[in-house]
Amino acid sequence: MGDASMTRGETGTGQRRRWRDPGLPGVLALCGVAVLIHIIPLLLPRNMPEQELAIARATPDPAHRVRFLLPLKNNEKSTPANLREAAELLLSGAPAEAHELVEEADRRHPEDMETLLLMARVCDVERMERCVQQSLERAEKAAPTDPRPQLLRADLREQNGDVEGATQALQRAHAQAPTDTFLALRYGRLLSRTGKPEEAMAVFRAMEGKLTHARLLVEQGLVRAKEGRDRDAVKLLQEAVQSDPKLAEGHFELGLAWFRLGNEIAAEDALRQADRLDVSNQEPLATLCALQLKTGQIEAARTSRMDLERRFPQRMDAIRERCTLP
């Protein structure tokens, strides 16, 4: 009797174990079901642009997206927004096909600002300068008071090394939108880069009340630093960090200015303060490490690098490039 009970108990346990552990065939069956769930939608008839766009977004290689996206050109249900998104998804790997899609968006909705701006970007990737200019001119004509065509013109010219042309485009954009803080900042910085410090300072002074006083002082300090007037830069940056002691950018730029003036102790203090205020940013400590190497403080640099590697293990390559120990 006892043996029979034991046998039944063992049999029940074995059944439960087999239920819990389906074995390799069961695992393969489950995997097959999962694969089918993902493949079946691809085999079903599709004529909605959103379906093709969703598949293309999940396809990492732009060249492989073409077969899903190019047919949208002939799909009557494709909106200009659908066609623009498809062109964006193809831009980095298949610019010719992106061009076809954005041309179709333009045909369906002529003079649309978003389409014309995208057309200019596509043409720039294709090195079609005449097409770039025509697209931007059409965009400017379609919306004479919109600064975006000039802003894109500035972007493209700066990318191609034409800083003077970028500055002129930003000047026009700034005139169209004088209250736009982003435009004013970028315009002032480019004026400084092109050797027009007083014009840059005038732009920043006109921004009083739109940015904090401390941030404006940092921008003005950078203009003076660009001129080589580091003593004036230090005064402005010191005033900035006194106005806002938690402004990490101010301490960082102050550290660089002090170093250029030869005050290594003050430079290190400012950079360490910037590091304490923004522990997620590796730049202050990496800069300190580079400066320590430059002045022959090898052991100090070694300590800084160890701290960087401990805090930013995912950025080892960048750290080693910035702080290369002998």
Side-chain angles (χ1 to χ4, degrees):
M1 188 72 177
D3 291 343
S5 298
M6 186 177 294
T7 301
R8 285 196 299 273
E10 289 173 351
T11 302
T13 301
Q15 289 174 341
R16 286 194 296 273
R17 285 175 180 165
R18 284 194 295 274
W19 174 254
R20 293 187 188 120
D21 182 10
L24 184 58
V27 171
L28 292 175
L30 289 172
C31 291
V33 171
V35 170
L36 284 173
I37 289 171
H38 287 84
I39 289 179
I40 285 173
L42 298 177
L43 302 177
L44 293 174
R46 303 190 311 269
N47 65 351
M48 295 301 292
E50 289 78 7
Q51 292 174 296
E52 310 301 328
L53 286 166
I55 295 170
R57 289 187 210 107
T59 305
D61 185 356
H64 292 160
R65 295 170 179 163
V66 172
R67 68 189 183 98
F68 301 114
L69 297 178
L70 194 55
L72 296 184
K73 175 184 173 183
N74 301 315
N75 190 330
E76 294 180 357
K77 296 180 181 179
S78 298
T79 66
N82 294 147
L83 293 164
R84 285 196 301 270
E85 183 180 355
E88 288 275 10
L89 288 167
L90 294 179
L91 184 55
S92 63
E97 289 79 3
H99 197 146
E100 290 186 47
L101 289 164
V102 78
E103 278 189 330
E104 180 62 20
D106 186 37
R107 188 189 69 79
R108 297 188 185 195
H109 190 180
E111 310 310 312
D112 179 83
M113 175 64 75
E114 299 297 337
T115 300
L116 292 171
L117 293 177
L118 179 56
M119 178 76 81
R121 291 172 50 218
V122 171
C123 292
D124 181 69
V125 172
E126 294 183 293
R127 299 286 186 257
M128 298 169 63
E129 181 60 26
R130 184 177 178 183
C131 173
V132 172
Q133 296 308 320
Q134 288 175 341
S135 301
L136 290 174
E137 287 168 6
R138 287 178 61 200
E140 290 163 7
K141 185 177 179 181
T145 61
D146 193 322
R148 288 180 295 168
Q150 292 296 343
L151 183 57
L152 179 57
R153 190 187 299 276
D155 289 340
L156 298 179
R157 288 187 175 177
E158 189 172 7
Q159 288 171 15
N160 294 326
D162 182 8
V163 180
E164 186 64 40
T167 306
Q168 293 171 3
L170 275 178
Q171 181 181 23
R172 292 190 289 270
H174 179 54
Q176 290 173 313
T179 60
D180 188 308
T181 301
F182 168 76
L183 272 176
L185 274 173
R186 188 168 171 204
Y187 179 44
R189 289 169 181 172
L190 268 182
L191 284 170
S192 179
R193 282 180 60 190
T194 53
K196 300 173 183 175
E198 296 313 317
E199 292 180 41
M201 293 293 278
V203 169
F204 292 135
R205 281 193 290 269
M207 294 178 66
E208 192 71 50
K210 298 173 187 174
L211 284 180
T212 65
H213 183 59
R215 280 296 312 280
L216 283 176
L217 287 168
V218 169
E219 295 295 336
Q220 292 170 357
L222 290 174
V223 173
R224 295 309 182 208
K226 184 68 176 176
E227 286 184 271
R229 295 168 55 180
D230 282 311
R231 293 194 182 280
D232 292 335
V234 162
K235 290 178 183 177
L236 288 163
L237 292 166
Q238 283 180 318
E239 187 179 345
V241 297
Q242 288 167 3
S243 176
D244 183 359
K246 294 184 178 181
L247 185 60
E249 182 185 359
H251 290 281
F252 177 76
E253 297 296 344
L254 179 59
L256 295 180
W258 273 129
F259 184 80
R260 290 191 296 267
L261 288 173
N263 191 334
E264 296 170 15
I265 295 175
E268 179 172 346
D269 287 345
L271 289 171
R272 289 197 182 281
Q273 181 63 9
D275 181 53
R276 283 191 289 269
L277 288 168
D278 187 1
V279 295
S280 65
N281 185 4
Q282 71 180 36
E283 190 64 19
L285 192 54
T287 300
L288 176 60
C289 184
L291 297 183
Q292 288 167 334
L293 285 172
K294 195 171 183 179
T295 55
Q297 301 177 67
I298 305 303
E299 289 307 312
R302 195 182 307 279
T303 301
S304 296
R305 177 161 150 172
M306 288 173 60
D307 194 11
L308 282 165
E309 291 175 344
R310 176 182 59 81
R311 289 167 51 189
F312 305 100
Q314 72 281 16
R315 303 176 191 171
M316 288 290 192
D317 291 342
I319 291 168
R320 287 166 186 162
E321 185 177 344
R322 291 291 307 280
C323 185
T324 305
L325 294 171

